[in-house]
Amino acid sequence: MASRTDLANAIRALAMDAVQKANSGHPGMPMGMAEIALALWGEGPYRHNPQNPHWANRDRFILSNGHGSMLQYALLHLTGYDVSIDDLKAFRQLHSKTAGHPEYGYAPGIETTTGPLGQGITNAVGFALAEKLLAREFNQPGLDIVDHHTWCFLGDGCLMEGISHEAAALAGTWGLGKLIAFWDDNGISIDGHVEGWFTDDTPGRFEAYGWHVVRPIDGHNPDAVLKAIEEAKAVTDKPSLICCKTIIGKGSPNKADSHDSHGSPLGEAEIAATRAAIGWNHGPFEIPADVYAGWDKKAAGAAWEAEWNELFAKYEAAHPQLAAEFKRRNAHELPGNWNEIVAAAVAETNAKAETIATRKASQNALNAFVPSLPEMLGGSADLTGSVFTNWKGSTPLKREGNALVGNHISYGVREFGMAAIMNGIQLHGGWRPYGATFLMFSEYARNALRMAALMKIPTLFVFTHDSIGLGEDGPTHQAVEQTATLRLIPNMNVWRPADTVESLVAWAHAIEQKETPSTLIFSRQNLQFQARSDEQIANIRKGGYVLRDAANPQVVLIGTGSELDVAVKAAAVLGEQGIAARVVSMPSTNVFDKQDKAYQASVLPAGVPRIAIEAGVTDGWRKYVGLEGDVVGLDRFGESAPAGELFKLFGFTVDNLVAKAKALVK
């Protein structure tokens, strides 16, 4: 049987070899955390099944310090996942499973994409929250079908990033006792030893957040790590941080405890010296059979899952409806009557013909849909009374003893933390999280939105107070460039609906997505209801459609959000003056761009001049209006004044649109 030393050194060797072959990567962290990984994955309580990485009750493992990705790839390979030695040899190469940082969907066993530091631990908070709330909803006496831990490795960089402060504070407040994090306290970052820029009392800080903290242990002593794990598991009302003192690049004679081993290959000579120093007498990518046998978790994983399957069979026999709902939600399936629910809601909303703010229309959509979707888990960043993410069945999430009750999360003023926690909740399964803040503060959350799009997960991001329509709060709060830049994120659907019906359809479309996150952008001010035919309502789902038409149009007015109504009114005036104008509503440019060319051409006919109207920066609209067209927009910051005055000041008026249309037609 392989010794502990050999089992840990297998990680070191694979990390050195893969980084060297790629001539790129971070060998130091895997070498420094090898014994911690051995304690958790090899000898400890990490319950997973390499032959079924999606088993519902598996533990979740998050590598927040994702630059050390070879640690996770080595563990996946050694324990029996479908990650071959050839995959390790292809580290950081085109189309490889083993990307430069762990990427969700590329290799089995990767629970989330990490790399931007701090987001992994924040995702982990979302995973742990999802587990706790799912257990509350589904577990029955003697039948705990939801009962697993979230384990997270993190480094100094994660702790320096502000998002980790946001997430850690919430984890303590929520008492997430099944979240256990390991701090790789090696004292090194890219610039060298961290004492010049990272002198926080990290254990004290986490204790102040309400965490259980295991103060510094020897991270190279598996027994010490195992003891710390057992101590952490025994504390069920607090998340735990295990502080592990380690040496980065452990085993390297000349580059250990140095930033030289952080982000660069060790070099052939140093690898040879390291092999000799640690007693690893095997060639590159060569793992002895006894080491493989020591790491193999296929049999143990199958047994763990079989035990749970037996438990779930008892659960299903005793609680068939709950079991069916659990399976539906974990399969990310909508209720069987979803289309009927949407159709009824659209018909009712269209019949009411309300002129209200689209943030209120958004709340109406939630009231229509969420009663049939118990997996919807809402929240806001301290703005519930303004963003209207609560619905008639919402109850605030709060802690009662060691339990969490409620279904609407107050994240506090933590926009970035909220967005990344939602990604973790979405990735865990069983929930569809949505959360909101003002559109201006999407800037704080931006990186988490990008990660949702990168991971192809359908997290729902809600933003209100979408333009100069915010009014008196002024340019610090008036979103001018945010909508345009959100549209630039690949694989992100951005909706800016113009009234109640478009808001409802936008919500339905977003809920139906399985691989695309959605950004739903709503107004503070009331927006005029627009009458539509059934065909026009159906075409809302195409992102852009003809709302008002005229025979042989001479000009096309493209409106979105609060600016659609002024386009409708301008078209009427133009018609009275003998100029035929078509009005196109474009609630989602991203979705419109996915339609076939024939449909796009039917909406925006060639040869007819176009004007786009949106209270924001203009560049994104140039591709729709062309060189001969025009854009009524806002390529500057706003002002502090009532919204109506601002729209007049910046030219969002019927008179201005009519004048511009006439100029184009001439």
Side-chain angles (χ1 to χ4, degrees), residues 205-524:
R205 175 155 63 87
F206 273 74
E207 286 170 345
Y209 289 146
W211 286 55
H212 169 71
V213 176
V214 180
R215 285 183 174 261
I217 63 169
D218 180 359
H220 300 299
N221 181 345
D223 287 327
V225 178
L226 285 167
K227 181 180 178 182
I229 290 171
E230 290 307 308
E231 178 184 331
K233 284 187 66 181
V235 179
T236 59
D237 61 345
K238 295 179 180 181
S240 291
L241 177 71
I242 301 174
C243 305
C244 303
K245 296 295 293 185
T246 63
I247 298 171
I248 193 171
K250 172 76 170 175
S252 171
N254 300 300
K255 294 188 177 182
D257 194 31
S258 166
H259 68 280
D260 290 338
S261 66
H262 176 81
S264 302
L266 296 183
E268 296 288 359
E270 187 64 15
I271 289 176
T274 303
R275 275 187 159 80
I278 65 176
W280 186 258
N281 301 312
H282 311 286
F285 297 101
E286 182 183 336
I287 303 296
D290 62 338
V291 171
Y292 274 127
W295 274 109
D296 189 1
K297 292 295 180 185
K298 292 192 292 293
W304 285 326
E305 183 176 355
E307 180 183 6
W308 182 82
N309 287 339
E310 184 178 341
L311 177 69
F312 190 80
K314 295 177 182 177
Y315 181 90
E316 192 166 24
H319 306 283
Q321 290 182 325
L322 279 174
E325 178 69 3
F326 181 81
K327 289 194 287 188
R328 178 190 73 80
R329 285 166 58 170
N330 277 280
H332 304 289
E333 294 177 353
L334 290 169
N337 63 338
W338 172 249
N339 290 336
E340 290 79 5
I341 293 168
V342 174
V346 168
E348 181 180 357
T349 301
N350 193 49
K352 285 183 177 179
E354 292 179 297
T355 292
I356 56 177
T358 51
R359 60 174 173 159
K360 180 61 179 174
S362 168
Q363 187 178 50
N364 290 347
L366 292 172
N367 280 320
F369 295 147
V370 179
S372 301
L373 298 169
E375 61 265 40
M376 295 289 282
L377 185 62
S380 84
D382 201 48
L383 288 168
T384 301
S386 294
V387 297
F388 297 163
T389 45
N390 56 334
W391 59 288
K392 60 188 177 184
S394 288
T395 55
L397 186 76
K398 60 182 179 179
R399 187 173 175 181
E400 292 183 357
N402 195 26
L404 286 173
V405 298
N407 62 359
H408 189 272
I409 303 169
S410 292
Y411 288 95
V413 188
R414 301 182 180 97
E415 296 89 355
F416 194 6
M418 174 181 71
I421 287 171
M422 288 197 302
N423 285 344
I425 295 170
Q426 178 67 54
L427 287 161
H428 178 279
W431 299 106
R432 286 301 305 276
Y434 65 94
T437 184
F438 291 167
L439 178 57
M440 187 65 244
F441 306 131
S442 66
E443 298 291 351
Y444 289 131
R446 178 63 62 98
N447 205 283
L449 272 66
R450 182 179 187 272
M451 295 304 291
L454 178 66
M455 289 189 281
K456 300 180 181 178
I457 58 173
T459 315
L460 302 167
F461 303 102
V462 179
F463 299 108
T464 70
H465 296 58
D466 67 339
S467 68
I468 56 172
L470 177 61
E472 293 86 343
D473 275 346
T476 61
H477 283 52
Q478 290 168 1
V480 172
E481 73 275 24
Q482 283 65 39
T483 299
T485 56
L486 288 168
R487 289 174 178 142
L488 294 175
I489 300 175
N491 193 44
M492 175 69 78
N493 287 340
V494 179
W495 288 88
R496 187 169 178 251
D499 69 354
T500 54
V501 173
E502 286 192 358
S503 298
L504 190 83
V505 173
W507 261 112
H509 186 278
I511 288 169
E512 291 162 11
Q513 301 309 300
K514 291 189 175 183
E515 295 187 348
T516 305
S518 297
T519 299
L520 301 160
I521 299 175
F522 300 113
S523 73
R524 177 198 187 194

Side-chain angles (χ1 to χ4, degrees), residues 596-618:
D596 61 63
K597 296 299 181 183
Y599 178 77
Q600 293 177 4
S602 74
V603 174
L604 300 175
V608 182
R610 307 166 191 168
I611 302 175
I613 309 102
E614 184 171 53
V617 295
T618 63

Side-chain angles (χ1 to χ4, degrees), residues 65-133:
N65 42 353
H67 54 272
S69 57
M70 265 310 302
L71 174 68
Q72 189 163 13
Y73 298 144
L75 289 168
L76 293 172
H77 170 70
L78 291 168
T79 56
Y81 286 80
D82 183 19
V83 177
S84 69
I85 201 72
D86 287 334
D87 291 324
L88 301 189
K89 291 178 181 178
F91 177 56
R92 291 190 165 218
Q93 304 309 299
L94 186 63
H95 303 313
S96 171
K97 291 180 182 179
T98 51
H101 292 82
E103 289 198 35
Y104 175 72
Y106 277 63
I110 304 294
E111 301 284 0
T112 182
T113 299
T114 57
L117 294 176
Q119 286 200 63
I121 180 60
T122 308
N123 291 166
V125 172
F127 276 94
L129 177 63
E131 190 274 344
K132 187 163 187 168
L133 295 179

